[in-house]
Amino acid sequence: MSTHAAVLTGLGGYLPPRTVTNEELSDRLDTSDEWIRKRTGIRQRHVVDPGVATGDLAVEAGHRALKSAGAQGWNAVDMVVVATTTPDHPLPGTAPNVAARLGLGPVAALDVQAGCSGFVYALATATAALAAGHAEGVLVIGAEVFSNVLNPADRTTAVIFGDGAGAIVLRAGDRDEPGAVLGVDLGSDGTGLELATIPGGGARQRASGRQPRPDEGYVQMNGKEIFLQAVRRMAASSSAVLGKVGWSVDQIDHVVGHQANLRILHSLAQQLGVDKRRVVSHIESAGNTSAASIPLALADAAARSRFRPHDRLLLTAFGAGLTWGSAALTWPQTTLV
Ligand code: COA
């Protein structure tokens, strides 16, 4: 087996300064702080000010991750992957402009669209490029201005999602180094397309020949079904990646799941047989930031010194598509945040 692996060398998160509390949402929607906290674990979410787009958040998080990577940052990164559901434009992708604004020069740059699983898919893209020798250093960013696609009148989505960006830097290295990404599992089930979708604005809607209704530009989801599928798919994908890297459940130090709902994270822990105390969460203060949620949770936990060198981390995500994915990695020797 090849000894090559992608190794984590940089990490950064960025949340826009403005917060929206549950109380503020309760003023304009038929909901309450108590309902939102009890059913989702969310207390507040961050929302951009007018004029701020996904690329702006991606640049902030990317800058922090490159800075934290030190010598492995600006000089070593030759590829940028941005995972987002809320790109700056339908064309071009968000990544080339982010790379240019970060001063990275003529590097490879592409977007990955896999809903809330986007960060794990982008991580897999980066590790594959490093293993194949197509890149020597990759900046992987998850960034969202999800508030753009929320129907202000829909209480089921408006209370959950928030804006933010998180980023990591990976370099080519060896499997036995702390910080190595040791395995990835990815999957999809496109028959679940309708469970979470923005129906308007794409080729399918234009091909229908009719004008989109205003609400078709907003995310629509079947929360109950997504909840059940998220737990089932993340648990199966987690088991698959653990099998690939030969770790038992007891050997996992931290589960960093997509931050969709605290009850989903706790149900996942129960299904896997992992103690809830090993579940990493920042959902209380940031809500569901879609493709940004895993790197933001990593940055938040790292800033609290929660991870120690050589700790074993399981990342797992589920999102629209339907898509899911998991990754197993160890924590690096250096302090990243
Ligand atoms: N405030 C108050 N009541 C609400 C509410 C809100 N924000 N949202 C829904 N309700 C109501 C429902 O209308 C329903 O009322 P009823 O019993 O009178 O019909 C009741 O609460 C229960 O609704 P239900 O949908 O069963 O709630 P839930 O416990 O499943 O929680 C979600 C709803 C959306 C929070 C939850 O399903 C969820 O998190 N799903 C996953 C979403 C996700 O991960 N999305 C991202 C990946 S694409």
Side-chain angles (χ1 to χ4, degrees):
M1 193 208 276
S2 158
T3 59
H4 297 303
V7 176
L8 183 62
T9 63
L11 173 66
Y14 178 75
L15 288 163
R18 188 154 68 95
T19 55
V20 176
T21 62
N22 293 346
E23 284 82 2
E24 281 174 79
L25 288 177
S26 312
D27 287 344
R28 63 174 177 83
L29 286 168
D30 181 15
T31 189
S32 66
D33 174 50
E34 194 200 352
W35 192 95
I36 301 169
R37 268 192 294 115
K38 221 159 112 188
R39 306 304 293 169
T40 71
I42 299 167
R43 190 170 44 81
Q44 62 167 39
R45 66 290 295 143
H46 291 248
V47 176
V48 294
D49 286 320
V52 177
T54 299
D56 303 322
L57 306 188
V59 166
E60 290 286 349
H63 194 278
R64 290 174 187 203
L66 287 166
K67 204 169 152 198
S68 112
Q72 300 294 332
W74 273 274
N75 296 333
V77 164
D78 53 4
M79 184 175 192
V80 175
V81 188
V82 174
T84 185
T85 318
T86 50
D88 282 359
H89 308 97
L91 180 80
T94 305
N97 189 248
V98 168
R101 287 173 63 189
L102 286 168
L104 286 165
V107 297
L110 75 154
D111 287 12
V112 165
Q113 215 291 38
C116 296
S117 311
F119 180 77
V120 176
Y121 268 76
L123 176 75
T125 306
T127 56
L130 290 165
H134 299 326
E136 294 193 349
V138 187
L139 174 63
V140 183
I141 306 174
E144 302 281 10
V145 174
F146 220 90
S147 54
N148 268 343
V149 292
L150 293 178
N151 183 343
D154 180 358
R155 66 180 179 175
T156 60
T157 52
V159 304
I160 296 175
F161 292 98
D163 302 338
I168 59 169
V169 176
L170 295 168
R171 64 163 170 82
D174 292 320
R175 292 181 69 81
D176 55 4
E177 287 183 69
V181 180
L182 297 171
V184 169
D185 173 75
L186 301 173
S188 76
D189 174 8
T191 64
L193 163 76
E194 305 287 339
L195 293 180
T197 180
I198 300 171
R204 178 66 59 200
Q205 184 267 306
R206 284 196 296 278
S208 74
R210 65 170 180 80
Q211 290 299 311
R213 292 193 313 269
D215 67 318
E216 288 177 327
Y218 296 125
V219 70
Q220 298 177 5
M221 85 180 175
N222 177 337
K224 228 180 188 44
E225 187 55 31
I226 289 277
F227 189 113
L228 297 173
Q229 291 258 4
V231 175
R232 187 160 69 84
R233 298 297 194 179
M234 285 196 286
S237 177
S238 296
S239 299
V241 84
L242 291 179
K244 281 184 192 180
V245 301
W247 292 354
S248 69
V249 166
D250 295 342
Q251 290 177 304
I252 308 167
D253 295 301
H254 312 279
V255 178
V256 188
H258 167 51
Q259 310 280 301
N261 183 321
L262 193 59
R263 288 190 297 129
I264 291 180
L265 292 174
H266 287 166
S267 301
L268 171 69
Q270 196 179 18
Q271 285 236 340
L272 287 174
V274 170
D275 191 308
K276 271 198 309 204
R277 281 171 299 189
R278 286 193 257 157
V279 171
V280 170
S281 174
H282 75 141
I283 193 164
E284 187 189 13
S285 58
N288 177 350
T289 53
S290 190
S293 88
I294 287 181
L296 270 171
L298 288 173
D300 181 69
R304 295 169 199 273
S305 306
R306 182 151 176 196
F307 306 139
R308 286 161 309 171
H310 301 277
D311 274 2
R312 294 171 188 230
L313 273 71
L314 168 69
L315 315 184
T316 187
F318 174 87
L322 305 171
T323 56
W324 55 87
S326 303
L329 69 147
T330 57
W331 197 247
Q333 198 74 44
T334 47
T335 308
L336 294 181
V337 179

